[in-house]
Amino acid sequence: MKTNLLIVLAAGVFSLSACTNNPEKQSAQNASSDSVSNQVMIPEKSNFQTTIDGKQTDLYVLTNQNDMKVAITNYGGRIVSIIVPDKDGKMVDVNLGYEKVSGYQQANEPYFGALIGRYGNRIGNAQFTLDGKAYKLPANDNGQSLHGGPKGFHAQVWDAKKINDYTLELTYLSKDGEEGYPGNLNVKVVYSLTNDNAIKMDYTATTDKATVVNLTNHAYFNLNGEGNGSINNHVLLINADKFTPVNASLIPTGELKSVKGTPFDFTTPTAIGQRVDADDEQLKFGKGYDHNFALTNSSTELKQAALVSSPQTGITLEVLTTEPGIQFYGGNFLDGKLTDGKGGKKYEHRSGFCLETQHFPDSPNQTSFPSTVLKPGETYSSTTLYKFATKQQ
Ligand code: GLA
């Protein structure tokens, strides 16, 4: 029975058409976006207008022809809201976040919506050696370095340029030595909202000294609507036949392990909650899913990495990337204690998930993993799409 349901859902997912191809549906959506505007709203721009580290912060809204909306702040380059229609044409915000910029500045803030750098995920023992020189990083996660350090790119004010209604360009100069990393790194991230309902993120970076770079976005999604319960009923496909097992500090052991016969096999669509509490050492280490999946197609071409759907709302999220890996994090550290969540919401355990496209964690210390070294004269380049659709009623 369960299997049948999954198959039906999977079939539905592959026959998706953009919900707004249908003019009747389109006008229903427009009407509903007005009528429900008191329920789903983009936070006030003024709540994001302040000065942090001597720089102006703001909130920028991207819109496409289908009335999909994405709000982004240049504080940490964070996605604040993603508003898409559900199967009934009702507009839903599927992105966890805060109503005010101050929410994002809290010490226990879990990287909601953030651009992550200079190095996404963990570097073991907060150190690495490059060209014979040892670099020490701030150890902000149980002796390890996590997400570029406490003042990583998620906590920096980016320079913002709104190019048009659907494009925002963010740039940031990470100075030589910042958070322990060598080289002045010039980073550019272009967010564009396409007319097929995708948030496209184009990352580029150049350096004046050899360094390591691994950029990603840390948006937390709940396709039932943010603050609307657990994500364990979502159905997930990950196109990865291997994953990188970790030790108790969540640092990869170096092994590339087959997902076959493990709770990490998402090569066919499976409910997230189906095996999350299975008796499995890797799940114990991660307190659930918090692992890097090695994509079966590891090429730098843009390919589908993952596909998630909510049976409740019919909303689906497809992740496409040029990266070789993706971190599936099931919101295990969310504990309902955060303050200022949108509408006063607290965001309980496993009420959001992240799909962070990336090179593998700890690559600077793991010679068998694809390299994350960037040298002067080279350009780091990475593209990821978060593409939304709605299964027709
Ligand atoms: C990443 C990590 C997790 C956790 C979250 C943020 O996904 O892998 O272990 O640190 O970020 O809370």
Side-chain angles (χ1 to χ4, degrees):
M1 184 64 189
K2 215 173 216 166
T3 325
N4 286 346
L5 247 178
L6 290 179
I7 290 166
V8 169
L9 190 65
V13 160
F14 289 111
S15 64
L16 286 177
S17 56
C19 50
T20 44
N21 287 346
N22 172 340
E24 275 168 36
K25 194 96 184 173
Q26 170 74 69
S27 66
Q29 278 159 20
N30 288 342
S32 74
S33 82
D34 294 332
S35 60
V36 297
S37 60
N38 57 336
Q39 290 167 34
V40 54
M41 283 199 311
I42 288 181
E44 291 289 331
K45 199 172 162 66
S46 58
N47 289 347
F48 284 82
Q49 289 171 324
T50 187
T51 305
I52 299 175
D53 297 336
K55 292 180 176 172
Q56 178 70 41
T57 61
D58 211 333
L59 188 69
Y60 303 86
V61 180
L62 308 184
T63 324
N64 70 5
Q65 287 174 358
N66 310 321
D67 210 22
M68 177 177 165
K69 288 190 170 54
V70 176
I72 298 162
T73 175
N74 61 326
Y75 177 67
R78 292 162 184 259
I79 300 179
V80 171
S81 302
I82 303 174
I83 298 182
V84 292
D86 74 1
K87 63 184 178 197
D88 303 318
K90 188 179 142 215
M91 302 309 274
V92 179
D93 185 349
V94 293
N95 176 63
L96 279 62
Y98 301 101
E99 276 174 16
K100 298 181 184 157
V101 74
S102 57
Y104 292 96
Q105 293 179 281
Q106 299 174 92
N108 63 349
E109 190 286 316
Y111 308 94
F112 277 158
L115 290 181
I116 302 290
R118 190 178 295 205
Y119 198 95
N121 211 277
R122 291 177 179 77
I123 296 182
N125 295 320
Q127 59 185 25
F128 66 94
T129 303
L130 184 58
D131 296 336
K133 193 165 181 264
Y135 293 94
K136 267 278 182 216
L137 310 169
N140 58 338
D141 187 70
N142 180 32
Q144 325 302 315
S145 165
L146 176 65
H147 293 330
K151 195 84 171 127
F153 296 179
H154 65 282
Q156 302 289 353
V157 181
W158 294 63
D159 292 318
K161 204 197 287 174
K162 182 109 184 268
I163 308 283
N164 52 37
D165 283 352
Y166 49 87
T167 313
L168 179 71
E169 183 184 284
L170 297 175
T171 49
Y172 178 65
L173 167 63
S174 169
K175 296 227 170 93
D176 188 11
E178 184 183 271
E179 298 293 80
Y181 293 92
N184 288 296
L185 188 76
N186 268 297
V187 192
K188 178 153 93 176
V189 180
V190 179
Y191 278 108
S192 29
L193 178 56
T194 70
N195 281 329
D196 59 355
N197 291 354
I199 303 169
K200 184 165 184 260
M201 294 165 286
D202 288 304
Y203 304 81
T204 47
T206 52
T207 185
D208 59 2
K209 269 189 201 165
T211 188
V212 292
V213 186
N214 190 28
L215 307 179
T216 191
N217 177 281
H218 207 301
Y220 286 67
F221 303 99
N222 185 327
L223 303 182
N224 298 332
E226 52 84 33
N228 212 350
S230 170
I231 49 92
N232 282 340
N233 63 348
H234 289 35
V235 177
L236 172 66
L237 168 87
I238 305 180
N239 292 314
D241 55 13
K242 295 196 176 73
F243 74 110
T244 51
V246 288
N247 64 23
S249 305
L250 301 185
I251 300 300
T253 60
E255 186 193 354
L256 274 172
K257 190 177 163 155
S258 168
V259 296
K260 249 208 169 93
T262 77
F264 294 84
D265 189 349
F266 285 98
T267 55
T268 53
T270 308
I272 292 172
Q274 194 167 301
R275 301 163 303 187
V276 69
D277 292 319
D279 185 16
D280 176 278
E281 187 185 49
Q282 284 300 312
L283 288 174
K284 289 209 174 88
F285 286 158
K287 301 196 166 43
Y289 293 107
D290 189 356
H291 293 80
N292 171 64
F293 288 73
L295 297 175
T296 308
N297 175 354
S298 62
S299 76
T300 53
E301 73 195 40
L302 196 63
K303 71 272 174 187
Q304 185 194 61
L307 182 62
V308 199
S309 56
S310 156
Q312 209 170 304
T313 57
I315 297 172
T316 69
L317 164 64
E318 182 183 14
V319 182
L320 300 112
T321 190
T322 56
E323 288 295 309
I326 192 164
Q327 184 86 7
F328 168 45
Y329 170 58
N332 309 309
F333 298 122
L334 295 178
D335 58 5
K337 293 199 182 116
L338 297 161
T339 54
D340 290 341
K342 287 184 220 166
K345 296 187 194 91
K346 299 286 182 223
Y347 302 131
E348 306 291 339
H349 187 52
R350 296 183 182 155
S351 65
F353 68 90
C354 305
L355 285 166
E356 303 152 63
T357 56
Q358 61 185 6
H359 270 55
F360 304 170
D362 199 35
S363 298
N365 294 312
Q366 309 254 2
T367 45
S368 64
F369 288 175
S371 172
T372 51
V373 174
L374 181 73
K375 298 199 169 117
E378 296 174 347
T379 301
Y380 168 95
S381 150
S382 175
T383 296
T384 291
L385 270 76
Y386 289 141
K387 187 170 177 198
F388 294 88
T390 308
K391 219 172 118 217
Q392 296 279 13
Q393 279 269 62

